[in-house]
Amino acid sequence: PNTVLLGETTAQRLFPNQNPVGQLIRLETLGQFTVGGVVREPPLRTHLPITLVLPWEAAENLDRQRNVSSLADNWTDYQTVTTYALLRD
């Protein structure tokens, strides 16, 4: 749960000319995480920009520790869940 994925641009900004996998990053009040991989950014414009991806377990832990505001407390907060479905042709 303490592993994150970085988008390509974020990885290059934080670790120029280095392999970011296995490196540690600290996210302000959220804690320390190990970079587990780099996510290729989509070639098209998207409503889902990839800067950093946390595993669901990490998000739940942060919510339990009250390090992020809970969706139940504020429905207009940045925490939203989007569901995608792959439909058959």
Side-chain angles (χ1 to χ4, degrees):
N2 290 333
T3 301
V4 296
L5 302 176
L6 299 178
E8 289 172 312
T9 301
T10 303
Q12 291 169 2
R13 185 171 45 85
L14 295 176
F15 303 101
N17 303 315
Q18 295 180 48
N19 181 359
V21 176
Q23 300 282 352
L24 297 176
I25 61 172
R26 179 154 188 80
L27 301 175
E28 296 182 18
T29 61
L30 302 182
Q32 185 169 291
F33 295 86
T34 301
V35 178
V38 177
V39 178
R40 184 176 302 149
E41 293 165 1
L44 305 173
R45 294 187 91 185
T46 177
H47 73 284
L48 187 63
I50 300 170
T51 303
L52 180 134
V53 179
L54 286 172
W56 191 257
E57 294 84 11
E60 288 178 326
N61 287 341
L62 293 171
D63 186 51
R64 269 195 298 280
Q65 297 166 10
R66 307 301 285 171
N67 284 341
V68 292
S69 58
S70 174
L71 185 59
D73 294 339
N74 183 358
W75 285 41
T76 61
D77 202 357
Y78 70 92
Q79 290 182 341
T80 59
V81 176
T82 304
T83 303
Y84 297 91
L86 178 61
L87 304 176
R88 295 184 198 161
D89 288 335

